[in-house]
Amino acid sequence: MLAFALAEENAGTSVQTHSDPVDAEFADLGNGVLKDTKTGLQWTQADNGFDINWYDAKSLCKNKDGSWRLPAVDELEAIYNANTPSPKICFVHNSTYFPCKVSHLFNLTGAGFWSGTQSGSAKAWDVTLIYGTRHLDPVSDPSYHRALCVRRI
């Protein structure tokens, strides 16, 4: 596995959308929250910013206010868009830059993200947003994983 480095909807909050087709799938609700206009799911705009194991990622999302959670693996895969024009760099390895293919509205510091979908008690699925692929990893392993939280209001 490559080493990853780098890189409420409130009354009166203005909702911003963008002309890029990929960005148009998301509305910026302000306060670090994006809304997927297709599914209605709300996402944290930024990930947690550091390597984290699955247990801590799950707690981090739940402790935001009780309405947040880790996304299901299918939800996480759904924010990947292979047609993202000029995607932002989220991963660097040996001076090679890799882009995450998601809306430019996201602020990501890694490329591998935990889902809330477990496989048995010792593994959970993560999604690499460079390629849109899922992987089964040990829940105790923080290496190269980030938390991106989701909710439905």
Side-chain angles (χ1 to χ4, degrees):
M1 181 179 270
L2 299 174
F4 290 103
L6 183 87
E8 212 103 27
E9 187 168 4
N10 295 323
T13 299
S14 64
V15 174
Q16 299 175 11
T17 56
H18 298 273
S19 59
D20 184 304
V22 175
D23 290 345
E25 295 175 6
F26 290 87
D28 185 340
L29 302 179
N31 297 322
V33 178
L34 301 178
K35 183 175 183 178
D36 184 325
T37 59
K38 290 181 179 180
T39 66
L41 290 172
Q42 293 183 3
W43 293 84
T44 52
Q45 188 169 19
D47 60 45
N48 65 302
F50 53 88
D51 287 356
I52 191 169
N53 70 41
W54 183 83
Y55 297 110
D56 291 342
K58 187 174 176 182
S59 291
L60 182 138
C61 290
K62 183 179 179 183
N63 290 333
K64 287 183 73 55
D65 75 6
S67 64
W68 293 95
R69 60 178 171 79
L70 283 176
V73 69
D74 294 337
E75 293 169 336
L76 194 50
E77 282 180 325
I79 67 170
Y80 171 83
N81 187 324
N83 299 317
T84 303
S86 304
K88 288 183 181 178
I89 301 301
C90 63
F91 169 76
V92 179
H93 181 68
N94 292 335
S95 300
T96 302
Y97 297 84
F98 295 90
C100 282
K101 295 182 180 176
V102 297
S103 167
H104 296 98
L105 298 174
F106 282 99
N107 296 318
L108 306 178
T109 64
F113 296 86
W114 284 116
S115 80
T117 308
Q118 282 187 271
S119 179
S121 61
K123 293 191 177 187
W125 292 98
D126 70 66
V127 174
T128 302
L129 294 176
I130 297 170
Y131 307 111
T133 54
R134 65 171 70 182
H135 309 276
L136 198 54
D137 286 326
V139 293
S140 60
D141 183 10
S143 302
Y144 320 122
H145 297 98
R146 300 283 193 271
L148 193 62
C149 306
V150 69
R151 69 181 175 186
R152 183 177 304 278
I153 294 185

